[in-house]
Amino acid sequence: MPEPCAYFRGQFMHPRDARIGIMTHAFHYGTGTFAGINANWDEEKQRFCLFRIKDHYRRQLGSCKMLNIHLPINEDEMADITVEAVRRTNFRQTVYCRPVAYKSSEFIGVKLHDLEDDWFVVATVLPPFATTGGLRCCTSSWTRVSDNQIPTHGKITGMYVNGALAKTEANLAGFDDGIMLTADGHVSEGAVTNTFVVLKGRLITPPPCDSILLGITRDTVMQLARNELGLETIERSLVRSDLYQAEEAFFTGTYAGVAPIVEIDNRPVGTGDVGPLTTRLKELYTEVAFGRNPKYSDWYTFLETQ
Ligand code: PMP
């Protein structure tokens, strides 16, 4: 029977057997960092492709630096443990890996220094990100946290209250997701996704200084647009007017992939259908995410099952 698998305190086990105490610092204060890594299952080749796993771990270690989390492990060891956790699940479908680094001391007190740190990873399966026919989004009433409040280039657990507020507000109002704006009214991102628009034929995405996470899918799409389509992505601030004028819009993220947006604030994006550039980029992304384009072999870590 396939089962999720966790690596916790030096051992592989079922996630239900991996427990932390109620006094754990990260549980009280959100003092952790995490990542989300796909092990994409290729039915034809009977293998997983763990996509850009080292880049995910480099980013997690960067996030740890922001939170004074010191781990006695590097990205190569993290990747090896993750591959082994996926192998032990025995799943034959896409597996989602969720590593968390966190302040593990059982200690009350708001600070980051002089605390113990730990790291674990869980390999499990998620329901598919709902994109049938494209997403209907709203702009969120919640302002995206700024980098001087919580460093937004870090994937910091406590920061996700911001995205959770936006997501639930959007869902309860009948939308699929909320696009958060910065305090200056610049388009930032969705709850767990980066934002792209096509405006007058140009591919545009918010720049790093508009409180975004530097998404690995965002980077992948930018590289694919340049290498495969000869299209440079413009990183510039976007405002609400741009969202309403866009011919195409889409989100990117490990969980979401390339997810078309067809409506924003009850206005159709372009014609209201998924646009041609979005469709092409989604195809190109899917090809690399499953390890099927040898040009990008540096991005692939394969786990063979036969
Ligand atoms: N922004 C936020 C806030 C996220 O949580 C994520 C998911 N990691 C992304 C963007 C997309 O990042 P990536 O493409 O690396 O998954």
Side-chain angles (χ1 to χ4, degrees), residues 75-121:
E75 67 261 35
D76 295 329
E77 293 160 320
M78 290 161 131
D80 288 348
I81 290 168
T82 307
V83 170
E84 179 58 16
V86 173
R87 197 185 64 75
R88 286 177 184 238
T89 65
N90 286 316
F91 282 120
R92 296 293 178 266
Q93 65 188 94
T94 291
V95 170
Y96 182 82
C97 306
R98 164 52 56 82
V100 179
Y102 63 106
K103 293 283 167 197
S104 56
S105 292
E106 304 207 11
F107 176 86
I108 289 183
V110 176
K111 62 172 190 172
L112 293 173
H113 60 285
D114 295 340
L115 294 167
E116 281 167 21
D117 306 308
D118 204 355
W119 175 85
F120 64 77
V121 60

mmCIF file of all heavy atoms in Angstrom, residues 75-121:
data_model
loop_
_atom_site.group_PDB
_atom_site.id
_atom_site.type_symbol
_atom_site.label_atom_id
_atom_site.label_comp_id
_atom_site.label_asym_id
_atom_site.label_seq_id
_atom_site.Cartn_x
_atom_site.Cartn_y
_atom_site.Cartn_z
ATOM 1 N N GLU A 75 22.288 21.312 0.795
ATOM 2 C CA GLU A 75 21.206 21.040 -0.170
ATOM 3 C C GLU A 75 21.344 19.659 -0.819
ATOM 4 O O GLU A 75 20.334 19.051 -1.175
ATOM 5 C CB GLU A 75 21.097 22.142 -1.227
ATOM 6 C CG GLU A 75 22.247 22.282 -2.192
ATOM 7 C CD GLU A 75 23.199 23.398 -1.790
ATOM 8 O OE1 GLU A 75 23.399 23.610 -0.571
ATOM 9 O OE2 GLU A 75 23.758 24.029 -2.695
ATOM 10 N N ASP A 76 22.581 19.152 -0.940
ATOM 11 C CA ASP A 76 22.747 17.830 -1.543
ATOM 12 C C ASP A 76 22.167 16.750 -0.623
ATOM 13 O O ASP A 76 21.473 15.829 -1.068
ATOM 14 C CB ASP A 76 24.234 17.523 -1.786
ATOM 15 C CG ASP A 76 24.826 18.482 -2.819
ATOM 16 O OD1 ASP A 76 24.075 18.922 -3.710
ATOM 17 O OD2 ASP A 76 26.014 18.812 -2.705
ATOM 18 N N GLU A 77 22.464 16.874 0.679
ATOM 19 C CA GLU A 77 21.944 15.886 1.636
ATOM 20 C C GLU A 77 20.419 15.990 1.748
ATOM 21 O O GLU A 77 19.716 14.974 1.834
ATOM 22 C CB GLU A 77 22.585 16.118 3.013
ATOM 23 C CG GLU A 77 24.082 15.826 3.006
ATOM 24 C CD GLU A 77 24.836 16.473 4.161
ATOM 25 O OE1 GLU A 77 24.545 17.640 4.522
ATOM 26 O OE2 GLU A 77 25.735 15.823 4.691
ATOM 27 N N MET A 78 19.922 17.218 1.727
ATOM 28 C CA MET A 78 18.462 17.395 1.780
ATOM 29 C C MET A 78 17.803 16.731 0.572
ATOM 30 O O MET A 78 16.773 16.051 0.698
ATOM 31 C CB MET A 78 18.122 18.892 1.786
ATOM 32 C CG MET A 78 18.503 19.606 3.064
ATOM 33 S SD MET A 78 18.594 21.387 2.759
ATOM 34 C CE MET A 78 17.614 22.010 4.099
ATOM 35 N N ALA A 79 18.418 16.905 -0.588
ATOM 36 C CA ALA A 79 17.857 16.326 -1.818
ATOM 37 C C ALA A 79 17.887 14.800 -1.736
ATOM 38 O O ALA A 79 16.896 14.134 -2.068
ATOM 39 C CB ALA A 79 18.633 16.826 -3.029
ATOM 40 N N ASP A 80 19.005 14.237 -1.256
ATOM 41 C CA ASP A 80 19.105 12.767 -1.169
ATOM 42 C C ASP A 80 18.035 12.196 -0.236
ATOM 43 O O ASP A 80 17.401 11.183 -0.535
ATOM 44 C CB ASP A 80 20.487 12.356 -0.639
ATOM 45 C CG ASP A 80 21.578 12.590 -1.684
ATOM 46 O OD1 ASP A 80 21.239 12.845 -2.853
ATOM 47 O OD2 ASP A 80 22.768 12.544 -1.305
ATOM 48 N N ILE A 81 17.836 12.839 0.900
ATOM 49 C CA ILE A 81 16.824 12.375 1.864
ATOM 50 C C ILE A 81 15.432 12.456 1.241
ATOM 51 O O ILE A 81 14.592 11.568 1.399
ATOM 52 C CB ILE A 81 16.909 13.214 3.164
ATOM 53 C CG1 ILE A 81 18.204 12.876 3.914
ATOM 54 C CG2 ILE A 81 15.682 12.982 4.049
ATOM 55 C CD1 ILE A 81 18.535 13.840 5.043
ATOM 56 N N THR A 82 15.192 13.529 0.489
ATOM 57 C CA THR A 82 13.874 13.723 -0.127
ATOM 58 C C THR A 82 13.592 12.645 -1.171
ATOM 59 O O THR A 82 12.490 12.084 -1.216
ATOM 60 C CB THR A 82 13.807 15.133 -0.753
ATOM 61 O OG1 THR A 82 14.170 16.078 0.250
ATOM 62 C CG2 THR A 82 12.423 15.442 -1.292
ATOM 63 N N VAL A 83 14.600 12.348 -1.987
ATOM 64 C CA VAL A 83 14.436 11.298 -2.997
ATOM 65 C C VAL A 83 14.119 9.965 -2.295
ATOM 66 O O VAL A 83 13.214 9.224 -2.702
ATOM 67 C CB VAL A 83 15.709 11.170 -3.874
ATOM 68 C CG1 VAL A 83 15.643 9.927 -4.759
ATOM 69 C CG2 VAL A 83 15.902 12.421 -4.724
ATOM 70 N N GLU A 84 14.815 9.706 -1.211
ATOM 71 C CA GLU A 84 14.592 8.449 -0.482
ATOM 72 C C GLU A 84 13.177 8.419 0.126
ATOM 73 O O GLU A 84 12.510 7.376 0.097
ATOM 74 C CB GLU A 84 15.667 8.289 0.602
ATOM 75 C CG GLU A 84 15.550 7.042 1.462
ATOM 76 C CD GLU A 84 15.584 5.731 0.680
ATOM 77 O OE1 GLU A 84 15.992 5.714 -0.496
ATOM 78 O OE2 GLU A 84 15.172 4.697 1.263
ATOM 79 N N ALA A 85 12.713 9.555 0.626
ATOM 80 C CA ALA A 85 11.342 9.610 1.183
ATOM 81 C C ALA A 85 10.320 9.329 0.087
ATOM 82 O O ALA A 85 9.362 8.577 0.296
ATOM 83 C CB ALA A 85 11.093 10.972 1.839
ATOM 84 N N VAL A 86 10.529 9.893 -1.092
ATOM 85 C CA VAL A 86 9.601 9.645 -2.214
ATOM 86 C C VAL A 86 9.629 8.155 -2.567
ATOM 87 O O VAL A 86 8.586 7.523 -2.748
ATOM 88 C CB VAL A 86 9.976 10.504 -3.450
ATOM 89 C CG1 VAL A 86 9.117 10.117 -4.660
ATOM 90 C CG2 VAL A 86 9.821 11.994 -3.146
ATOM 91 N N ARG A 87 10.826 7.604 -2.628
ATOM 92 C CA ARG A 87 10.957 6.177 -2.970
ATOM 93 C C ARG A 87 10.168 5.319 -1.976
ATOM 94 O O ARG A 87 9.441 4.410 -2.358
ATOM 95 C CB ARG A 87 12.441 5.784 -2.961
ATOM 96 C CG ARG A 87 12.737 4.472 -3.673
ATOM 97 C CD ARG A 87 14.180 4.047 -3.539
ATOM 98 N NE ARG A 87 14.571 3.757 -2.166
ATOM 99 C CZ ARG A 87 14.222 2.661 -1.491
ATOM 100 N NH1 ARG A 87 13.458 1.756 -2.063
ATOM 101 N NH2 ARG A 87 14.607 2.490 -0.240
ATOM 102 N N ARG A 88 10.299 5.664 -0.690
ATOM 103 C CA ARG A 88 9.648 4.847 0.342
ATOM 104 C C ARG A 88 8.129 4.960 0.345
ATOM 105 O O ARG A 88 7.453 4.136 0.948
ATOM 106 C CB ARG A 88 10.184 5.235 1.723
ATOM 107 C CG ARG A 88 11.589 4.724 1.951
ATOM 108 C CD ARG A 88 12.105 5.204 3.291
ATOM 109 N NE ARG A 88 13.481 4.797 3.475
ATOM 110 C CZ ARG A 88 13.926 4.050 4.487
ATOM 111 N NH1 ARG A 88 13.097 3.646 5.422
ATOM 112 N NH2 ARG A 88 15.192 3.728 4.567
ATOM 113 N N THR A 89 7.546 5.997 -0.276
ATOM 114 C CA THR A 89 6.079 6.111 -0.292
ATOM 115 C C THR A 89 5.438 5.004 -1.117
ATOM 116 O O THR A 89 4.291 4.638 -0.878
ATOM 117 C CB THR A 89 5.599 7.449 -0.897
ATOM 118 O OG1 THR A 89 5.968 7.500 -2.280
ATOM 119 C CG2 THR A 89 6.116 8.653 -0.154
ATOM 120 N N ASN A 90 6.168 4.545 -2.150
ATOM 121 C CA ASN A 90 5.626 3.583 -3.128
ATOM 122 C C ASN A 90 4.487 4.147 -3.966
ATOM 123 O O ASN A 90 3.760 3.394 -4.612
ATOM 124 C CB ASN A 90 5.162 2.282 -2.456
ATOM 125 C CG ASN A 90 6.342 1.443 -2.048
ATOM 126 O OD1 ASN A 90 7.287 1.297 -2.823
ATOM 127 N ND2 ASN A 90 6.322 0.944 -0.824
ATOM 128 N N PHE A 91 4.294 5.470 -3.947
ATOM 129 C CA PHE A 91 3.275 6.041 -4.822
ATOM 130 C C PHE A 91 3.706 5.912 -6.275
ATOM 131 O O PHE A 91 4.911 5.923 -6.589
ATOM 132 C CB PHE A 91 3.049 7.532 -4.514
ATOM 133 C CG PHE A 91 2.205 7.776 -3.291
ATOM 134 C CD1 PHE A 91 2.709 8.491 -2.204
ATOM 135 C CD2 PHE A 91 0.898 7.312 -3.228
ATOM 136 C CE1 PHE A 91 1.940 8.721 -1.079
ATOM 137 C CE2 PHE A 91 0.117 7.543 -2.094
ATOM 138 C CZ PHE A 91 0.633 8.244 -1.029
ATOM 139 N N ARG A 92 2.728 5.798 -7.156
ATOM 140 C CA ARG A 92 2.962 5.843 -8.597
ATOM 141 C C ARG A 92 2.089 6.957 -9.161
ATOM 142 O O ARG A 92 1.299 6.777 -10.073
ATOM 143 C CB ARG A 92 2.637 4.485 -9.257
ATOM 144 C CG ARG A 92 3.540 3.365 -8.778
ATOM 145 C CD ARG A 92 4.999 3.565 -9.229
ATOM 146 N NE ARG A 92 5.886 2.519 -8.748
ATOM 147 C CZ ARG A 92 6.621 2.600 -7.616
ATOM 148 N NH1 ARG A 92 6.559 3.684 -6.847
ATOM 149 N NH2 ARG A 92 7.418 1.618 -7.268
ATOM 150 N N GLN A 93 2.203 8.106 -8.571
ATOM 151 C CA GLN A 93 1.518 9.320 -9.011
ATOM 152 C C GLN A 93 2.369 10.480 -8.485
ATOM 153 O O GLN A 93 3.283 10.255 -7.674
ATOM 154 C CB GLN A 93 0.095 9.400 -8.451
ATOM 155 C CG GLN A 93 0.033 9.542 -6.937
ATOM 156 C CD GLN A 93 -1.389 9.427 -6.393
ATOM 157 O OE1 GLN A 93 -1.823 8.344 -5.996
ATOM 158 N NE2 GLN A 93 -2.103 10.527 -6.384
ATOM 159 N N THR A 94 2.082 11.702 -8.947
ATOM 160 C CA THR A 94 2.924 12.828 -8.550
ATOM 161 C C THR A 94 2.905 13.025 -7.035
ATOM 162 O O THR A 94 1.845 13.030 -6.408
ATOM 163 C CB THR A 94 2.483 14.093 -9.304
ATOM 164 O OG1 THR A 94 2.836 13.898 -10.687
ATOM 165 C CG2 THR A 94 3.172 15.336 -8.791
ATOM 166 N N VAL A 95 4.105 13.142 -6.474
ATOM 167 C CA VAL A 95 4.271 13.285 -5.028
ATOM 168 C C VAL A 95 4.713 14.707 -4.729
ATOM 169 O O VAL A 95 5.515 15.292 -5.464
ATOM 170 C CB VAL A 95 5.323 12.264 -4.511
ATOM 171 C CG1 VAL A 95 5.706 12.532 -3.066
ATOM 172 C CG2 VAL A 95 4.796 10.837 -4.658
ATOM 173 N N TYR A 96 4.163 15.262 -3.679
ATOM 174 C CA TYR A 96 4.513 16.618 -3.251
ATOM 175 C C TYR A 96 5.384 16.504 -1.995
ATOM 176 O O TYR A 96 4.999 15.831 -1.039
ATOM 177 C CB TYR A 96 3.237 17.400 -2.953
ATOM 178 C CG TYR A 96 3.461 18.840 -2.552
ATOM 179 C CD1 TYR A 96 3.673 19.830 -3.517
ATOM 180 C CD2 TYR A 96 3.461 19.218 -1.213
ATOM 181 C CE1 TYR A 96 3.885 21.149 -3.155
ATOM 182 C CE2 TYR A 96 3.659 20.547 -0.845
ATOM 183 C CZ TYR A 96 3.865 21.503 -1.826
ATOM 184 O OH TYR A 96 4.057 22.813 -1.468
ATOM 185 N N CYS A 97 6.540 17.160 -2.025
ATOM 186 C CA CYS A 97 7.454 17.080 -0.892
ATOM 187 C C CYS A 97 7.434 18.396 -0.140
ATOM 188 O O CYS A 97 7.588 19.460 -0.739
ATOM 189 C CB CYS A 97 8.874 16.782 -1.372
ATOM 190 S SG CYS A 97 8.942 15.309 -2.408
ATOM 191 N N ARG A 98 7.253 18.311 1.157
ATOM 192 C CA ARG A 98 7.135 19.510 1.983
ATOM 193 C C ARG A 98 8.199 19.493 3.085
ATOM 194 O O ARG A 98 8.006 18.886 4.136
ATOM 195 C CB ARG A 98 5.731 19.547 2.584
ATOM 196 C CG ARG A 98 5.500 20.502 3.762
ATOM 197 C CD ARG A 98 5.950 21.924 3.503
ATOM 198 N NE ARG A 98 5.372 22.543 2.331
ATOM 199 C CZ ARG A 98 4.163 23.111 2.285
ATOM 200 N NH1 ARG A 98 3.417 23.143 3.345
ATOM 201 N NH2 ARG A 98 3.737 23.674 1.166
ATOM 202 N N PRO A 99 9.361 20.098 2.825
ATOM 203 C CA PRO A 99 10.349 20.241 3.884
ATOM 204 C C PRO A 99 10.064 21.470 4.733
ATOM 205 O O PRO A 99 9.620 22.507 4.206
ATOM 206 C CB PRO A 99 11.667 20.422 3.124
ATOM 207 C CG PRO A 99 11.282 20.892 1.763
ATOM 208 C CD PRO A 99 9.832 20.621 1.537
ATOM 209 N N VAL A 100 10.307 21.349 6.020
ATOM 210 C CA VAL A 100 10.139 22.481 6.943
ATOM 211 C C VAL A 100 11.386 22.565 7.818
ATOM 212 O O VAL A 100 11.816 21.559 8.390
ATOM 213 C CB VAL A 100 8.886 22.304 7.835
ATOM 214 C CG1 VAL A 100 8.742 23.483 8.801
ATOM 215 C CG2 VAL A 100 7.617 22.165 7.000
ATOM 216 N N ALA A 101 11.962 23.765 7.900
ATOM 217 C CA ALA A 101 13.053 24.031 8.849
ATOM 218 C C ALA A 101 12.457 24.970 9.889
ATOM 219 O O ALA A 101 11.727 25.903 9.526
ATOM 220 C CB ALA A 101 14.223 24.702 8.134
ATOM 221 N N TYR A 102 12.754 24.746 11.161
ATOM 222 C CA TYR A 102 12.009 25.513 12.157
ATOM 223 C C TYR A 102 12.758 25.629 13.475
ATOM 224 O O TYR A 102 13.651 24.832 13.783
ATOM 225 C CB TYR A 102 10.626 24.881 12.379
ATOM 226 C CG TYR A 102 10.664 23.487 12.944
ATOM 227 C CD1 TYR A 102 10.322 23.248 14.279
ATOM 228 C CD2 TYR A 102 11.065 22.405 12.174
ATOM 229 C CE1 TYR A 102 10.362 21.960 14.812
ATOM 230 C CE2 TYR A 102 11.117 21.127 12.696
ATOM 231 C CZ TYR A 102 10.766 20.909 14.012
ATOM 232 O OH TYR A 102 10.828 19.645 14.525
ATOM 233 N N LYS A 103 12.326 26.613 14.242
ATOM 234 C CA LYS A 103 12.861 26.812 15.598
ATOM 235 C C LYS A 103 12.214 25.749 16.478
ATOM 236 O O LYS A 103 11.017 25.822 16.794
ATOM 237 C CB LYS A 103 12.490 28.222 16.096
ATOM 238 C CG LYS A 103 13.181 29.344 15.316
ATOM 239 C CD LYS A 103 14.618 29.484 15.752
ATOM 240 C CE LYS A 103 15.415 30.359 14.812
ATOM 241 N NZ LYS A 103 16.864 30.188 14.968
ATOM 242 N N SER A 104 13.006 24.751 16.837
ATOM 243 C CA SER A 104 12.438 23.573 17.493
ATOM 244 C C SER A 104 12.496 23.633 19.021
ATOM 245 O O SER A 104 11.937 22.757 19.690
ATOM 246 C CB SER A 104 13.170 22.325 16.993
ATOM 247 O OG SER A 104 14.561 22.462 17.227
ATOM 248 N N SER A 105 13.142 24.651 19.588
ATOM 249 C CA SER A 105 13.198 24.742 21.054
ATOM 250 C C SER A 105 11.790 24.839 21.628
ATOM 251 O O SER A 105 10.934 25.519 21.059
ATOM 252 C CB SER A 105 13.961 26.003 21.483
ATOM 253 O OG SER A 105 15.308 25.905 21.144
ATOM 254 N N GLU A 106 11.575 24.188 22.760
ATOM 255 C CA GLU A 106 10.283 24.324 23.439
ATOM 256 C C GLU A 106 10.453 25.475 24.417
ATOM 257 O O GLU A 106 10.850 25.292 25.570
ATOM 258 C CB GLU A 106 9.904 23.004 24.095
ATOM 259 C CG GLU A 106 9.899 21.880 23.047
ATOM 260 C CD GLU A 106 8.976 20.730 23.352
ATOM 261 O OE1 GLU A 106 8.147 20.841 24.279
ATOM 262 O OE2 GLU A 106 9.082 19.713 22.643
ATOM 263 N N PHE A 107 10.177 26.671 23.917
ATOM 264 C CA PHE A 107 10.590 27.887 24.619
ATOM 265 C C PHE A 107 9.594 29.008 24.327
ATOM 266 O O PHE A 107 9.204 29.212 23.175
ATOM 267 C CB PHE A 107 11.992 28.288 24.114
ATOM 268 C CG PHE A 107 12.518 29.574 24.659
ATOM 269 C CD1 PHE A 107 13.195 29.614 25.880
ATOM 270 C CD2 PHE A 107 12.337 30.763 23.954
ATOM 271 C CE1 PHE A 107 13.679 30.822 26.380
ATOM 272 C CE2 PHE A 107 12.826 31.965 24.450
ATOM 273 C CZ PHE A 107 13.492 31.988 25.666
ATOM 274 N N ILE A 108 9.188 29.731 25.365
ATOM 275 C CA ILE A 108 8.315 30.892 25.168
ATOM 276 C C ILE A 108 9.173 32.150 25.159
ATOM 277 O O ILE A 108 9.973 32.359 26.081
ATOM 278 C CB ILE A 108 7.224 30.950 26.257
ATOM 279 C CG1 ILE A 108 6.218 29.812 26.013
ATOM 280 C CG2 ILE A 108 6.530 32.312 26.274
ATOM 281 C CD1 ILE A 108 5.046 29.779 26.960
ATOM 282 N N GLY A 109 9.015 32.966 24.147
ATOM 283 C CA GLY A 109 9.799 34.194 24.037
ATOM 284 C C GLY A 109 9.987 34.551 22.580
ATOM 285 O O GLY A 109 10.414 33.716 21.787
ATOM 286 N N VAL A 110 9.633 35.813 22.244
ATOM 287 C CA VAL A 110 9.685 36.222 20.840
ATOM 288 C C VAL A 110 11.096 36.668 20.489
ATOM 289 O O VAL A 110 11.535 37.742 20.917
ATOM 290 C CB VAL A 110 8.655 37.348 20.556
ATOM 291 C CG1 VAL A 110 8.773 37.837 19.126
ATOM 292 C CG2 VAL A 110 7.251 36.845 20.818
ATOM 293 N N LYS A 111 11.805 35.837 19.765
ATOM 294 C CA LYS A 111 13.165 36.148 19.304
ATOM 295 C C LYS A 111 13.565 35.079 18.298
ATOM 296 O O LYS A 111 12.813 34.117 18.079
ATOM 297 C CB LYS A 111 14.133 36.160 20.488
ATOM 298 C CG LYS A 111 14.248 34.809 21.195
ATOM 299 C CD LYS A 111 15.357 34.806 22.221
ATOM 300 C CE LYS A 111 15.618 33.414 22.747
ATOM 301 N NZ LYS A 111 16.779 33.301 23.596
ATOM 302 N N LEU A 112 14.726 35.261 17.698
ATOM 303 C CA LEU A 112 15.222 34.266 16.742
ATOM 304 C C LEU A 112 16.541 33.639 17.186
ATOM 305 O O LEU A 112 16.910 32.576 16.684
ATOM 306 C CB LEU A 112 15.428 34.913 15.355
ATOM 307 C CG LEU A 112 14.163 35.381 14.633
ATOM 308 C CD1 LEU A 112 14.526 36.142 13.361
ATOM 309 C CD2 LEU A 112 13.250 34.205 14.285
ATOM 310 N N HIS A 113 17.247 34.299 18.090
ATOM 311 C CA HIS A 113 18.584 33.825 18.443
ATOM 312 C C HIS A 113 18.548 32.870 19.656
ATOM 313 O O HIS A 113 17.566 32.845 20.397
ATOM 314 C CB HIS A 113 19.510 35.008 18.744
ATOM 315 C CG HIS A 113 19.033 35.856 19.891
ATOM 316 N ND1 HIS A 113 17.978 36.723 19.763
ATOM 317 C CD2 HIS A 113 19.439 35.936 21.177
ATOM 318 C CE1 HIS A 113 17.774 37.315 20.938
ATOM 319 N NE2 HIS A 113 18.639 36.846 21.810
ATOM 320 N N ASP A 114 19.641 32.129 19.802
ATOM 321 C CA ASP A 114 19.816 31.197 20.927
ATOM 322 C C ASP A 114 18.651 30.216 21.064
ATOM 323 O O ASP A 114 18.107 30.009 22.150
ATOM 324 C CB ASP A 114 20.003 31.966 22.252
ATOM 325 C CG ASP A 114 21.288 32.780 22.259
ATOM 326 O OD1 ASP A 114 22.181 32.455 21.447
ATOM 327 O OD2 ASP A 114 21.392 33.738 23.044
ATOM 328 N N LEU A 115 18.255 29.666 19.940
ATOM 329 C CA LEU A 115 17.212 28.639 19.932
ATOM 330 C C LEU A 115 17.717 27.474 19.078
ATOM 331 O O LEU A 115 18.556 27.666 18.197
ATOM 332 C CB LEU A 115 15.917 29.187 19.317
ATOM 333 C CG LEU A 115 15.205 30.300 20.090
ATOM 334 C CD1 LEU A 115 14.139 30.956 19.219
ATOM 335 C CD2 LEU A 115 14.588 29.764 21.384
ATOM 336 N N GLU A 116 17.162 26.286 19.331
ATOM 337 C CA GLU A 116 17.555 25.139 18.506
ATOM 338 C C GLU A 116 16.735 25.102 17.222
ATOM 339 O O GLU A 116 15.595 25.595 17.192
ATOM 340 C CB GLU A 116 17.323 23.851 19.292
ATOM 341 C CG GLU A 116 18.425 23.610 20.298
ATOM 342 C CD GLU A 116 18.069 22.533 21.292
ATOM 343 O OE1 GLU A 116 17.182 21.703 20.983
ATOM 344 O OE2 GLU A 116 18.673 22.545 22.366
ATOM 345 N N ASP A 117 17.326 24.509 16.209
ATOM 346 C CA ASP A 117 16.665 24.403 14.912
ATOM 347 C C ASP A 117 16.568 22.941 14.507
ATOM 348 O O ASP A 117 17.395 22.122 14.913
ATOM 349 C CB ASP A 117 17.478 25.149 13.845
ATOM 350 C CG ASP A 117 17.755 26.584 14.234
ATOM 351 O OD1 ASP A 117 16.793 27.289 14.581
ATOM 352 O OD2 ASP A 117 18.933 27.003 14.200
ATOM 353 N N ASP A 118 15.575 22.633 13.680
ATOM 354 C CA ASP A 118 15.462 21.278 13.151
ATOM 355 C C ASP A 118 14.884 21.351 11.744
ATOM 356 O O ASP A 118 14.395 22.414 11.318
ATOM 357 C CB ASP A 118 14.583 20.421 14.073
ATOM 358 C CG ASP A 118 14.887 18.925 13.940
ATOM 359 O OD1 ASP A 118 15.695 18.545 13.070
ATOM 360 O OD2 ASP A 118 14.298 18.144 14.697
ATOM 361 N N TRP A 119 14.929 20.242 11.056
ATOM 362 C CA TRP A 119 14.433 20.167 9.680
ATOM 363 C C TRP A 119 13.794 18.809 9.460
ATOM 364 O O TRP A 119 14.317 17.799 9.946
ATOM 365 C CB TRP A 119 15.608 20.355 8.702
ATOM 366 C CG TRP A 119 15.269 20.189 7.253
ATOM 367 C CD1 TRP A 119 14.774 21.155 6.422
ATOM 368 C CD2 TRP A 119 15.419 19.012 6.450
ATOM 369 N NE1 TRP A 119 14.598 20.652 5.156
ATOM 370 C CE2 TRP A 119 14.980 19.334 5.141
ATOM 371 C CE3 TRP A 119 15.865 17.707 6.702
ATOM 372 C CZ2 TRP A 119 14.988 18.418 4.096
ATOM 373 C CZ3 TRP A 119 15.864 16.787 5.648
ATOM 374 C CH2 TRP A 119 15.435 17.147 4.370
ATOM 375 N N PHE A 120 12.658 18.791 8.793
ATOM 376 C CA PHE A 120 12.073 17.501 8.387
ATOM 377 C C PHE A 120 11.506 17.635 6.988
ATOM 378 O O PHE A 120 11.377 18.750 6.461
ATOM 379 C CB PHE A 120 10.982 17.030 9.374
ATOM 380 C CG PHE A 120 9.767 17.923 9.467
ATOM 381 C CD1 PHE A 120 8.779 17.910 8.485
ATOM 382 C CD2 PHE A 120 9.588 18.774 10.551
ATOM 383 C CE1 PHE A 120 7.649 18.717 8.579
ATOM 384 C CE2 PHE A 120 8.458 19.594 10.649
ATOM 385 C CZ PHE A 120 7.495 19.559 9.655
ATOM 386 N N VAL A 121 11.179 16.522 6.392
ATOM 387 C CA VAL A 121 10.513 16.566 5.088
ATOM 388 C C VAL A 121 9.429 15.498 5.063
ATOM 389 O O VAL A 121 9.595 14.419 5.644
ATOM 390 C CB VAL A 121 11.518 16.414 3.918
ATOM 391 C CG1 VAL A 121 12.281 15.105 3.960
ATOM 392 C CG2 VAL A 121 10.828 16.594 2.564
#
